[in-house]
Amino acid sequence: MNLDEELMIRESRWRGRLITAGVLAVIGVIIGVGAYAFFFRDSAEKTRPTEDITVGRATINANLIISGIAETQLVSDLSFRTSGRVQSVGVKVGDTVSQGDVLASLESDGLQNSVATAQANLALSRARQTALLEGASEAALAAAEQSVALAEANLNLAIRDVEELLEGAGEPELTAEEQAVVSAEAALNQAMRDRIRLLDGPTDAEVASAEQVVISAQIALNQALRDRTRLLDGPTAAEEAAAEQAVISAQAALNQALRDRTRLLDGPTAVEEAAAEQAVISAQAALNQAQRALDDLLAAPTAAQLASATQAVVAAEASLASAQATLDRLTDGPSAAEVAAAESAVAGAEQALTSAEAGLASAMSNVISAEAALRAAGTAYCTAVPADPLCTPFDIPLSGASVAGLLADLSDSGTDPALLPSISALIQTNSAYEVALNAVAAGIESVAAADAALDAAQANLTALFDGPSALEVAAAEAAVTAAEENLALAELTLADVLAGPEASQIANAEDAVGSAQATLDAAIASRDDLQEGASAADIARADDAVRSAEAVLAAAVASRDDLLDGADAADIALADDAVRSAEAVLSVAVARQDDLLDNADAADIARADDAVRSAEAALAAAVARQEELLAGADDADVASAQDAERSLEAALAAAIAGRDEAVRGPKASLVEQERQSVRAAELAVEGARIRLRDAQIIAPFDGTVAAINTSPGEFLGPSPATPTIVLLTPDALILKMQIGETDYPNVHLDQTGIVIFDAIPGTPYPFRVVEISLSPSVTQGVVSYEVIGALVLPPAVSPPAAVSPPNAASPPNGVAPTASPRPAPGMNARGVITTGASVNVLAIPPRAIRLKAGEQVVDVRRNGQIEVQVIVTGLSDTTNVEVVSGLEEGDILVVPVLVSGSTSQADAEPTLPSGIR
């Protein structure tokens, strides 16, 4: 006999018996549970009270629960585009600005002058271009005709001179020649003086005077050009708006003055009298409170105060003892019990880790088995129904849509009965596979948690053996010191209570009583003044205010009318005269400055020498002429006179040619040259304006100033590390939300929703979906998409001022408006998006539905009997479920009565669908 085989037979026999006993035990438990569910639960349901509900119609909304963060719709970090020193900051944090407003500017006097100069140059270029395109003016043609007439007159004079020369000179001409000699001598003396002054050069005073004259002339010319341009352009929109605003402000001031006068004559209103009376009552209450505080201070400490101070001392002593015990425990080292507990924790953590790893291995094995079963079921189903979309390809696990389709086929009476086992098996194996996957995920988390617990236990054990660190000992010592200080403070407080108040405290309390008494007296005086009504002096001051407001209004209206009427012909003519006069003055000043600043060079001296020699020659010529006249004309004189006649004929021909050219108009090359000159001047103006704008911060949109990081006088570079001004839109908020990939197909633009902010509980805010991101974000394998909604905010209501101004209008019914709560950027919100709706469908409450044999059933009262009816449901929310089939409108459902824990409830906060508060 083989002993090993005998042992194996015996071992196998006992194993079979144990397995059989276990299976029988499980079957017994299942039978017992089923019997209880069948008998006892049915009896309990029969004894539970019920109510009848009529099947009706309702609208059911499908809601998607979301969470998000509020952000501003627009935010802009603004900085200067150039470097410089800050000249002004025209706003402060919290100010509301409009698009185009200048928020801050750098020192830009030079830039403004550059713009003005560029504009003046542009105006001159345009004027030259206009004059060139319009051709010669009537004045220019008249000047040309005048030049021709003058040339003709000079020619006639030359002809007469020749004739007189041929006839001979008489006695009067000798007298004229003598006068010419005297004039030539005077010219020679003047030329010699000019040469001496030229060699000496101009004085400093002459140079400074000439420069000042040029600067003044240039400024006057620029101002005249700007005045003329402004006069021709008419008032700007800003000037018209300013004039209109001045009229509106003056009208408002007049209306206010009239209202103040009327209110003064009518006497105080009931609200004002009530407010004055309330002020007296409040002042009396404050006086009583101050008096009670003084009385309490003068009285001896109560038993409660002594008990509180004594209790504080006891608590401080207990805290000191606890801190000292902690310090002693740290310095004495761990006890044997602590070490044993730590070692036991390590062993338990190791055992938990082993168990978790075994569970994970089992779960992974179950996944393999479930996957095989699911694929086998899929193969069987796809063999029977190869055209089903889920078979091409067959992906696991099945999607929610595929499972929903299989469930619909399973409940459809038209489905082939032969397919029902395959469909049921496919659904069950898919559920088992998903459960197995979830078990693996849970197993991984359990292993990670057990591993972390083991690390923590080992670290705790190591820390026990290593002992406390110097930092922990120092912290414990600091705790002991702090407890000692708290004990000392509590003992001092107890001593103060026992000692009573100090003289300074009594004096402060008495001062408070006196201040409250003064406040009461002032309130009583104000109430008495209000009840006595307005005096003659008050009425006179109100009349003066009305007259002053009427005068201001009349002046504002007159100013606005003058501005809107524009410039007439006389104004334009005056502006043109001013421009021409300024140009002439500038030309003269520049010429004089050039003459003064140009030091005498060799050419100037040469010209002066030539002038002297010319004067000497003129003198000699005059003497010779005198002698020649006395001697009579010769052939050379006649020839010279004839040459002069021919020269004047040539000058006449040139004058006629100039007149003809003025009549024909400018050449095309000159027109193009002037056009390019105007374009260059326009570019110069635009460049100067851009440089000026770069030295300003201009609001890009309507918003509110959120931050200012500069101040006047500070020097800033073109790209500072922090934005100079931050502008945002607190009244235009958006809600940024993240939705999962399964919810993404159900969200569309213009869908509406509602949220409640954690910081503003009980106040719902609606929103509308305005943007859905197409780019997903993946975090630890979870795919999500960003959705942006535009929040609908209530209109802001400014809170009432702390102190009302005199004669201020009272609010209706004496109730001041209060500020509505408004969300701010960065607040967290929770809510829902309505993704679908079923309108006017059969609806029943969810508590009426129960499961029986895997189907949804309800109890229906028909012909006095309760029948079990199978139904198919559709869309649902927290209060209703859509009934697709199985019921009709008007059917009576028998539903268990809900039992409330209390008969009355306080008014609950507003909640959103899904119970979000």
Side-chain angles (χ1 to χ4, degrees), residues 95 120 223 247 401 462 467 476 529-530 598 645 814 896 904 907:
D95 283 355
Q223 184 61 41
V247 173
T462 302
D529 292 340
L530 189 64
D598 291 339
E645 180 181 355
S904 64
D907 293 337

Side-chain angles (χ1 to χ4, degrees), residues 20-291:
T20 302
V23 171
L24 292 176
V26 172
I27 293 174
V29 171
I30 293 174
I31 293 173
V33 172
Y36 173 80
F38 182 77
F39 293 104
F40 293 94
R41 191 181 68 175
D42 287 349
S43 63
E45 290 179 353
K46 290 179 182 178
T47 59
R48 184 174 177 179
T50 61
E51 63 178 338
D52 292 345
I53 296 179
T54 303
V55 178
R57 294 187 176 273
T59 298
I60 302 176
N61 294 321
N63 296 317
L64 171 63
I65 299 177
I66 52 91
S67 62
I69 298 176
E71 293 186 4
T72 57
Q73 186 176 13
L74 295 175
V75 60
S76 182
D77 296 336
L78 306 176
S79 298
F80 294 105
R81 293 188 179 93
T82 185
S83 59
R85 194 173 304 280
V86 179
Q87 183 179 24
S88 63
V89 178
V91 293
K92 60 181 181 296
V93 175
D95 283 355
T96 300
V97 299
S98 302
Q99 181 180 3
D101 289 350
V102 177
L103 309 183
S105 60
L106 299 176
E107 295 179 352
S108 56
D109 293 341
L111 297 176
Q112 293 176 349
N113 292 335
S114 299
V115 172
T117 303
Q119 290 174 339
N121 294 333
L122 175 60
L124 290 176
S125 298
R126 286 176 176 172
R128 287 196 300 267
Q129 183 185 34
T130 302
L132 189 63
L133 292 176
E134 292 177 352
S137 61
E138 296 295 334
L141 292 175
E145 292 290 348
Q146 184 66 27
S147 299
V148 172
L150 181 62
E152 290 177 347
N154 291 333
L155 178 60
N156 294 332
L157 289 176
I159 292 174
R160 285 197 299 270
D161 289 340
V162 172
E163 293 175 352
E164 291 176 357
L165 189 63
L166 293 175
E167 291 175 357
E171 188 63 27
E173 289 199 9
L174 291 178
T175 304
E177 291 304 326
E178 291 176 355
Q179 184 64 34
V181 172
V182 175
S183 299
E185 290 178 349
L188 175 60
N189 295 331
Q190 183 63 40
M192 294 181 68
R193 286 194 298 272
D194 292 341
R195 183 176 183 276
I196 294 172
R197 186 181 300 106
L198 183 66
L199 293 176
D200 293 340
T203 64
D204 293 339
E206 289 174 336
V207 172
S209 177
E211 290 178 352
Q212 186 60 39
V213 171
V214 171
I215 293 173
S216 300
Q218 183 65 54
I219 293 174
L221 176 59
N222 294 338
Q223 184 61 41
L225 290 172
R226 286 194 295 271
D227 293 341
R228 185 180 184 276
T229 302
R230 188 181 300 109
L231 193 65
L232 294 176
D233 293 343
T236 64
E239 291 173 339
E240 292 180 358
E244 190 66 32
Q245 185 60 39
V247 173
I248 294 172
S249 299
Q251 184 65 54
L254 175 59
N255 295 338
Q256 183 62 40
L258 291 172
R259 285 195 297 271
D260 293 341
R261 184 179 183 276
T262 302
R263 187 181 300 108
L264 195 64
L265 295 177
D266 292 343
T269 63
V271 174
E272 292 173 337
E273 291 181 351
E277 190 66 33
Q278 183 61 39
V280 174
I281 294 173
S282 299
Q284 184 65 54
L287 176 60
N288 296 339
Q289 181 64 30
Q291 187 63 49

Side-chain angles (χ1 to χ4, degrees), residues 430-508:
N430 182 72
S431 299
Y433 179 63
E434 290 180 342
V435 170
L437 287 178
N438 294 333
V440 169
I444 293 174
E445 293 179 356
S446 299
V447 170
D451 194 10
L454 177 59
D455 292 340
Q458 288 176 343
N460 184 34
L461 181 60
T462 302
L464 283 177
F465 284 115
D466 292 343
S469 64
L471 183 60
E472 292 174 335
V473 175
E477 292 175 347
V480 171
T481 302
E484 292 174 346
E485 292 176 352
N486 289 336
L487 176 59
L489 181 60
E491 291 174 345
L492 288 176
T493 302
L494 178 59
D496 290 340
V497 171
L498 294 174
E502 298 179 355
S504 59
Q505 294 175 327
I506 296 175
N508 291 335

